[in-house]
Amino acid sequence: MSTPIFIKSAAAPADFPSDDGREVAFVGRSNSGKSTALNLLAGVRKLARVSKTPGRTQLVNFFAIGEQRRLVDLPGYGFARVPDETKDHWRVLIEAYLTTRRSLVGVIVTIDIRRGITDLDDALLHWLEPLGLSVGLLLTKADKLAHGAAVAREREIAERVGRGVELTRFSALNRTGVDVGRGWIDRWMQRDAASAAP
Ligand code: GDP
């Protein structure tokens, strides 16, 4: 993956950059470690802003990681205190992105391994299912559990989501799962480029 370059932030589908090539999107509950994971997988320190401020991240951020290849930072969900209109804006923006984006080949979902799959994560996963995209779960903050507990948790979550979804324990602190996550991105981008050939 070459060094990412920020392309633009979009508040509405009309602002999305041209829909060609391949892209992989990151999505997750707020505070699940999405920005941290994106920065680490992309290999740069401050690509996605690590922020906890509710309502300030309702933008879709696009980063180029090579010729016709992009990483996309989708706004986080699950803030308890945001007004309904913000939630609606999130849903409309994400739905528009996920269902219409032809260049989208895969989605990485960040899930705090201690919380496991929450109702909102579950809704997102069900909703992604029929779209035919590759899906990978990063079980973040694995360093916060003892090794045995983290492994047990991963197994539990794997059983729950079934075989169509890939997953790995992930830690920004000790870099667990970084190679796996990068492997997904490389493979998804390549596989689709190959199958799209005439
Ligand atoms: P986002 O809201 O989903 O983008 O989450 P952030 O990336 O901003 O992370 C939320 C908080 O969790 C921050 O304080 C991070 O430093 C912390 N965090 C993220 N990933 C890890 C991790 O792997 N291990 C630990 N211990 N903390 C993490």
Side-chain angles (χ1 to χ4, degrees):
M1 200 185 296
S2 55
T3 306
I5 298 161
F6 174 72
I7 304 173
K8 70 187 302 195
S9 294
D15 302 326
F16 295 165
S18 140
D19 192 4
D20 41 32
R22 303 286 173 242
E23 59 193 35
V24 169
F26 286 65
V27 66
R29 206 182 167 90
S30 52
N31 206 39
S32 63
K34 173 175 59 77
S35 312
T36 305
L38 200 160
N39 287 332
L40 198 57
L41 293 187
V44 286
R45 253 187 207 195
K46 281 200 177 144
L47 195 57
R49 236 176 99 246
V50 178
S51 163
K52 291 182 186 172
T53 316
R56 291 196 56 189
T57 47
Q58 299 277 314
L59 295 169
V60 180
N61 298 305
F62 293 85
F63 305 94
I65 55 164
E67 192 68 23
Q68 303 277 30
R69 297 285 181 271
R70 292 175 297 276
L71 295 182
V72 182
D73 184 19
L74 298 173
Y77 52 87
F79 278 116
R81 282 169 292 130
V82 301
D84 283 349
E85 62 199 77
T86 307
K87 287 179 187 159
D88 287 347
H89 177 251
W90 185 92
R91 194 176 45 72
V92 169
L93 187 61
I94 299 295
E95 268 185 28
Y97 173 80
L98 291 173
T99 57
T100 65
R101 196 74 179 159
R102 288 191 316 272
S103 52
L104 180 65
V105 294
V107 179
I108 290 183
V109 184
T110 49
I111 290 176
D112 185 327
I113 195 165
R114 299 166 303 171
R115 290 189 82 151
I117 296 180
T118 65
D119 289 351
L120 288 172
D121 301 320
D122 202 42
L124 173 75
L125 292 173
H126 274 110
W127 198 68
L128 283 173
E129 224 170 72
L131 299 180
L133 300 164
S134 297
V135 176
L137 309 187
L138 293 180
L139 309 179
T140 59
K141 311 189 190 183
D143 56 274
K144 295 205 179 218
L145 291 181
H147 179 73
V151 170
R153 210 66 212 278
E154 181 182 18
R155 199 173 305 134
E156 238 171 67
I157 295 171
E159 276 167 19
R160 172 151 174 207
V161 294
R163 304 217 299 170
V165 174
E166 309 193 62
L167 78 176
T168 183
R169 298 190 304 282
F170 188 84
S171 166
L173 216 67
N174 54 30
R175 303 181 67 87
T176 306
V178 169
D179 290 346
V180 175
R182 286 185 181 157
W184 294 341
I185 296 172
D186 288 346
R187 180 156 45 85
W188 298 348
M189 297 262 192
Q190 277 166 20
R191 189 195 57 203
D192 248 62
S195 65

